[in-house]
Amino acid sequence: MAHFSGHQPTMEVPADFKNLFTNGGLGGDDDDSNNNNNNDNNDQENRTNNNNDNEEHEHSCWVFGYGSLCWLPGFTFSKCITGYIRGYVRRFWQGNVTHRGTEQQPGIVATLVEDKEGITWGCAYKLTGETALEYLKERECTLGGYATLETKFYPRIAPHDTPFGGEAVEVLLYIATPANIHWMGEAPLPKIAQLIATSRGPSGHNAEYLLRLALFMHEELDCAWDQHLFELERLVLQELYRMNIPVSAVMGRNPERIRRDSHANLHRPPSFEFTSRIQSTKLRCLNI
C-alpha cells in the first residue's frame, strides 16, 4: 500500500498552468478534422445501431457511467444520455492495480457510496447484444473488483425517442464495496491527491483518470457540482505543479468525442417565430 506523507501546505496553482488543462489540446495531436471524422463515424454507428434496435430490443439495456466510462466507454453503444442517480455519492476510495496503478503502487479510482440524500451525475449508455456486457464484466468486475447493481437513472433532458419519456429507468451500475481486496476507503483528500498524482498503470497515469472525469463534468454537466471530485482536481493539479510535471505529460491520447444527448434538439424553447402565420382570432371577454 502506498505511503502517505504529512499534509502539504496550501499552494495556489498558477492560472496559466491550469489553463493548459482546461483550454489546451492535451495529450494528443488530433486536429479538428480528426474530431469531425470521429463524430461522423459515431453518427454512422448510432444510425446503424438504431436500425437494429427493434430486432435486438429484448437484448438491450442501459448502463450508468460515473468514472472512466464517462469519457472512455470502450464498447459499442447506440445512445448516450447525461443525467443522475439518487442515493449515492461519488468517492475516490477504490484502489486499482490493473488500469491506473500497480501492485507496488496502487492507483485510486472512483466508486459510489450510499447516501440517502446523495445525487451522482454521469451518463447512461444504451447497449444492445451481449458483447458490451461481457466486456464490462471483465473490465469492471474481474479486473476492477466491482459488483453489479441496478438503480434508477434520471435523464437531464428527457428524450422523446427512448423509454425514458421523462421517467426514471432501470440501469446497471458497477460499484466497489469494502469487501473487495482493493478497497482503500476514506482518507484525507490531500493524501488521495498525492497518490493520484504519483501513480501510473497499464492504462495510463492515475491523474488522467481524475482530470478527464472532471473535464467531462465541467463541459457536459456544468449545472452540477461535485465537491469531492472538484476539490481533488484542484489538489492534483497543485501536486503536479509542485513536482514540476506538465499536465500534458499525464494525459495520454485524447479519446474520441462522444455524441451525448443527441435528442436535445427535440426540446426547443418556446418560440414565436411562426405567430405571424397564424390567423388572428378575436377573444371574448368574460366578466368574472
Side-chain angles (χ1 to χ4, degrees):
M1 190 62 64
H3 171 73
F4 294 110
S5 62
H7 177 69
Q8 298 291 334
T10 301
M11 176 170 49
E12 292 298 323
V13 178
D16 58 343
F17 182 81
K18 188 171 184 179
N19 285 340
L20 287 174
F21 171 63
T22 56
N23 299 325
L26 296 179
D29 49 6
D30 301 338
D31 55 20
D32 291 339
S33 61
N34 289 334
N35 288 328
N36 290 335
N37 289 336
N38 290 337
N39 286 333
D40 293 341
N41 292 337
N42 200 10
D43 291 344
Q44 183 178 3
E45 176 182 290
N46 288 343
R47 286 194 298 270
T48 301
N49 289 334
N50 288 340
N51 291 335
N52 295 330
D53 278 353
N54 292 333
E55 299 176 4
E56 298 184 343
H57 178 70
E58 68 275 15
H59 299 298
S60 66
C61 67
W62 292 83
V63 172
F64 179 68
Y66 59 89
S68 60
L69 292 184
C70 291
W71 55 273
L72 191 65
F75 51 81
T76 300
F77 57 90
S78 59
K79 286 184 177 67
C80 181
I81 296 174
T82 57
Y84 63 91
I85 62 172
R86 296 173 177 170
Y88 296 92
V89 290
R90 179 167 31 219
R91 293 291 183 265
F92 277 73
W93 290 3
Q94 169 70 354
N96 187 272
V97 300
T98 56
H99 296 299
R100 300 290 171 171
T102 64
E103 291 285 353
Q104 293 71 32
Q105 183 170 341
I108 188 163
V109 294
T111 186
L112 297 178
V113 178
E114 289 191 49
D115 183 327
K116 290 189 297 183
E117 304 298 324
I119 288 180
T120 299
W121 288 84
C123 56
Y125 295 96
K126 185 177 183 180
L127 312 181
T128 54
E130 300 295 328
T131 303
L133 285 177
E134 289 299 320
Y135 166 80
L136 285 169
K137 181 180 179 180
E138 177 70 13
R139 170 175 167 173
E140 302 296 328
C141 301
T142 304
L143 297 178
Y146 288 72
T148 307
L149 302 177
E150 287 189 351
T151 190
K152 294 284 189 179
F153 173 80
Y154 301 85
R156 183 175 62 91
I157 303 174
H160 293 308
D161 60 343
T162 73
F164 290 110
E167 302 294 332
V169 72
E170 290 286 341
V171 293
L172 294 179
L173 175 68
Y174 296 94
I175 182 172
T177 69
N180 75 74
I181 61 174
H182 301 303
W183 180 260
M184 287 190 171
E186 185 174 7
L189 290 184
K191 293 184 178 181
I192 297 176
Q194 185 184 49
L195 177 59
I196 292 173
T198 55
S199 297
R200 180 185 292 272
S203 297
H205 202 288
N206 201 174
E208 178 186 27
Y209 178 105
L210 179 133
L211 295 176
R212 289 203 186 277
L213 177 57
L215 184 61
F216 158 78
M217 291 289 293
H218 293 317
E219 290 186 342
E220 304 284 344
L221 294 167
D222 58 355
C223 59
W225 181 258
D226 188 323
Q227 179 66 32
H228 180 85
L229 173 63
F230 296 154
E231 179 63 11
L232 275 177
E233 177 194 21
R234 184 187 71 81
L235 291 171
V236 167
L237 287 170
Q238 175 180 295
E239 189 68 14
L240 292 174
Y241 176 73
R242 185 187 68 80
M243 296 186 294
N244 198 28
I245 299 175
V247 181
S248 58
V250 304
M251 295 303 285
R253 290 188 58 83
N254 288 329
E256 292 186 4
R257 293 180 181 177
I258 298 172
R259 187 186 180 204
R260 303 182 179 94
D261 296 329
S262 57
H263 59 280
N265 59 344
L266 301 177
H267 295 259
R268 301 178 59 189
S271 172
F272 301 97
E273 61 181 304
F274 301 113
T275 54
S276 61
R277 303 180 188 177
I278 301 175
Q279 184 178 0
S280 61
T281 302
K282 292 183 179 180
L283 301 179
R284 181 169 57 89
C285 295
L286 298 179
N287 296 322
I288 299 179

